[in-house]
Structure formats: structure tokens, C-alpha cells
Amino acid sequence: MYWNQKYECMPREELLALQLERLKNTVEKCFYNVPHYRKAFQEIGFEPGDLNSLQDLAKLPFTYKTDLRDNYPYGMFAVPLSEVVRIHSSSGTTGKPTVVGYTRSDINTWAELMARALVTAGVTKNDVIQNAYGYGLFTGGLGVHYGAERLGASVIPISGGNTKRQVMIMKDYGTTVLTCTPSYALNISEVIEEMGLTQDDFQLKVGIFGAEPWSDNMRKEIEQKLGIIALDIYGLSEIIGPGVAIECPSKTGLHIFEDHFIPEIIDPDTGEVLPYGSTGELVFTSLTKEALPMIRYRTRDIASLTLEECSCGRTHLKMKRVSGRTDDMLIIRGVNVFPSQIESVLLEIGQTEPHYQIVVDRIGTLDTVEVLVEVSASFFSDQIRQLEVLEAKIREAIESTLGISVKVRLVEPKTIERSEGKAKRVIDKRKLD
Ligand code: DLL
């Protein structure tokens, strides 16, 4: 089932022609309306008329989060503020937030793309969507909300938090679709158990989870606990919010809505464009956005692209799930480590809860990693000896996967802070110096 078959299943040749036409338009608007772009283009002697093919995009300079910060708050907008009807922002971990704006037409595009994303995940107008993404400056809540309304589903704008009430509503209102971060979905499943409820008390079918990296093992865990099919949705505020890409039920990658965004994969060190199939940093160019057009935005997200045909019939290329961010990558004694690799190992072993935290420190000149993992209540009350065996097993598994030595500490149930939005998995004490 499609939301907009013409665009979702467009033959590639036609799609590329549409992209070129839209790209020319975007580049022209950026050049004439955004001083930052005009300057950046002029520095390389580029004028809008020089763009004649999609390959020419690679000649254009990248846009970085720092460019948005340097032009804080509205300097990157391509329209006067009087045309902007909505402002969101993304918090980030350091410095000023990034401010993003939408014209009325941008809000319409976003609602269309989110409706399309929901349909791609198998949602229909007969569904009841419990939207537990945060409402507010974060794009998750309102982004999904507008798409759900556009589709005609019944949306419960519950936002994140207050998990017991969340569960009661899920049961009483007959929620069929849950939208939230994967870490919050796990938190909800745990509270369901605590409340003495089971899958049979709910009508939940599908979960649409994103806004943070999660592993395939985490997917299995959530699917099993909630008795649903869990699909991955990707997006970022600078590009539009949720609704840039989503998995169809074949779970073979996330379809990128290429009639609105051009993705590239680049080598994060050299900036060179890499061929399909290679892993690198995702870069996006927006094709239809009015208020905040983005040319070659460096997402810092690590993924790969594939043109593999999909059983769902959509012709848009797919990205593999984001495995981490270049700035989340921990360099431990010279070895690159992503939190998601540790998550995957933990979930494979089982016997522990999928709640963990990675504490990185530096003692003298040596980097140390301690992985805190929760064990289930029944296991924790068992003999110390058994805990030691489990600790050693986890340590060996992580060490053989990552090639670095780590310390593993099993902690009591419910001691690691639960997430209601994006989970904080890593505490890097080295950065505090
Ligand atoms: O997180 C938008 C969103 C809301 C996406 C709801 C999906 C669902 P930001 O707060 O700007 O926007 O954060 C964007 O989150 O660059 C990725 O690092 C990460 N991210 C988003 N979706 C995924 C995902 C929203 N499915 C940043 N897998 C992005 C991994 C994701 N990381």
C-alpha cells in the first residue's frame, strides 16, 4: 500500500530528472537568499547556472552544524521570518541549539512525508497511534502528529513520560501503533510487566522507533517483549525532522524519500563521495524545503546506501540502519568503538537486561572502559559465583568483538536510569577535563 504511488514508485530515470530540476531551484534560492551559501559558492567560483547535472552536486561545499550555529538563530533561513510558521530546535550536547524553521508549504510537505512514512510501515487510517515522541521543540512529537492526522489515523498526543499512564491508555484506548524512541519502548515494556499485564491486554501491532541508534538485537528484544513488528524511522531536524527515511515491513533498509532529499555517502575524513554499498557519513541535500534549504548537510551519521530492488515496489534507494555517529565514536587506545557494537554483544548473550551504560575514563595516559549492565532480578539474587561467571563471559565477548580490554560490572535491577526520549548510553569522563 502506498500513500503517493506516483512518487514512491517512480522509475529511476524520471526520479533523477525530477531531482535535477528541484536541485537547480534549491541551489538558485540558496545563492540569492542566504548570504552563507552565496559566500561559500563564490569562494569556489560557482554560480547557479553552473549546475547542469546531479554529478555537479559533488562540487558544492558541505554545510556543517557549525554553519547553523554561526548564523544563529535565523541567518540560514532563505525566507523572511514573516513566511515562517513554525520553529523547532535540536538541542545537541554542547553549545547553542540549532534553530530550524518551516514555511506553511514546508509544514505541508512534512505532513505528507510523515503520512507516507506511516503508510510505508503498514499503518492505515483505521489505526490508533500513541505518539510518545516528545512534543515541543523536538521535531519527533509534532512531526509524527501531523503525519498521523494527514493519514486520517486516530492520534493520541501523549508525548514522552508518565509511563504508567502511558500503559493504561495503551490498554484502554486500544492503541495499535506505538511511536517513540526504541529505548523508551523498552522502558514501556518493562512497566507493562511491572503492572502485571501481558501482550494479550493490548492491541498493539506496530512500533515505529527512531531518533537514536539501535541494534537489530534491540529490535528483536522489543518485538518479543511487546509482541509487535518494530520498524526503524530516521530523520534529523536540519533536514526536516522524522520522515526522511523509514523501513517497510521487509526490514531490508530504510527507504529515503528521494523526491525530496538527495543522500550521499562520503568519507568523513577526505569528503570524497563513496560508491553505493560503502559505509561512511550520510550527507543530505534538501530539494523542496523553503525556509531552511540545506546543501550537502553533514549529518555525522554513519550508514551505507543500496539500490537493491525492494519487494515493496518502492524505487527509492535504501540506507542501512545508522550504526552510530562520527562524534559518538569512542576512540579507546586508538581503536574505534561504537556504543551500538557493545549493545549488540550484550543482547546476543542474553541473561542481562537491555539496559547498559558505558563509562570511559583516563587513568594516567590509559583509556579505560567500564560497561555497566543490569541483570534480571531473579538472576541477581543468585550466588555471587554465578554473577562472576556472567561478568567474565560478557567481558570476553566484548573483548573479542572490539579488540580492546574492558571492565564489566553487573548492577542491580533498575539502577540504570530509564529513558523517556533519547537514551544517554555513554559517559565520557575524559571530556570533562
Ligand atoms: O531525532 C528526528 C526524529 C524524530 C527521527 C523521531 C526519528 C523519529 P534530531 O533531534 O535533530 O531529530 O536528531 C537527529 O538523531 O542525526 C541521528 O544521529 C539520530 N537519529 C535519528 N533517527 C535515527 C535512527 C530527530 N533511526 C539525530 N537511527 C540524527 C539512528 C537516529 N539514529
Side-chain angles (χ1 to χ4, degrees), residues 82-225:
S82 55
E83 297 297 311
V84 170
V85 301
R86 178 97 66 80
I87 292 164
H88 280 281
S89 78
S90 117
S91 54
T93 42
T94 50
K96 290 268 193 201
T98 306
V99 180
V100 301
Y102 302 77
T103 64
R104 199 176 297 284
S105 151
D106 290 335
I107 294 287
N108 182 52
T109 305
W110 193 14
E112 279 293 307
L113 290 182
M114 261 317 304
R116 185 196 285 184
L118 292 169
V119 172
T120 305
V123 180
T124 73
K125 69 189 285 290
N126 301 323
D127 278 302
V128 176
I129 303 179
Q130 183 153 339
N131 186 20
Y133 284 114
Y135 280 64
L137 286 175
F138 175 54
T139 52
L142 284 171
V144 171
H145 185 103
Y146 271 57
E149 281 191 355
R150 179 64 57 96
L151 168 60
S154 315
V155 55
I156 307 172
I158 192 160
S159 197
N162 206 338
T163 312
K164 276 196 177 145
R165 187 181 59 151
Q166 207 61 258
V167 171
M168 182 195 81
I169 284 181
M170 193 182 289
K171 175 170 170 286
D172 295 349
Y173 297 11
T175 299
T176 55
V177 178
L178 174 65
T179 54
C180 61
T181 58
S183 58
Y184 191 47
L186 261 185
N187 184 347
I188 293 176
S189 74
E190 196 174 56
V191 173
I192 289 178
E193 249 175 64
E194 282 167 16
M195 290 168 75
L197 300 169
T198 67
Q199 285 174 18
D200 298 341
D201 294 305
F202 302 91
Q203 296 178 42
L204 217 51
K205 292 184 316 198
V206 180
I208 300 176
F209 305 130
E212 64 184 4
W214 52 313
S215 60
D216 218 38
N217 283 330
M218 175 77 98
R219 184 209 309 263
K220 289 187 195 122
E221 182 93 21
I222 297 174
E223 288 188 328
Q224 192 214 334
K225 288 202 157 153

Side-chain angles (χ1 to χ4, degrees), residues 29 32-35 74-87 101-104 106 290-293:
K29 280 194 180 147
Y32 290 110
N33 301 329
V34 185
Y74 303 137
M76 294 291 279
F77 286 11
V79 298
L81 210 52
S82 55
E83 297 297 311
V84 170
V85 301
R86 178 97 66 80
I87 292 164
Y102 302 77
T103 64
R104 199 176 297 284
D106 290 335
E290 291 183 343
L292 188 68

Side-chain angles (χ1 to χ4, degrees), residues 90 133 138-140 144 209-214 232-238 241-243 254 299 301 322 325 422:
S90 117
Y133 284 114
F138 175 54
T139 52
V144 171
F209 305 130
E212 64 184 4
W214 52 313
D232 194 1
I233 182 166
Y234 170 85
L236 62 165
S237 319
E238 294 83 350
L254 294 80
T299 65
D301 292 324
V322 170
R325 292 176 53 82
K422 299 189 190 229

Side-chain angles (χ1 to χ4, degrees), residues 334-355:
V335 178
N336 300 347
V337 175
F338 287 100
S340 59
Q341 291 176 296
I342 294 182
E343 173 179 303
S344 221
V345 174
L346 290 177
L347 294 180
E348 201 130 284
I349 290 180
Q351 290 170 296
T352 60
E353 295 294 315
H355 302 287

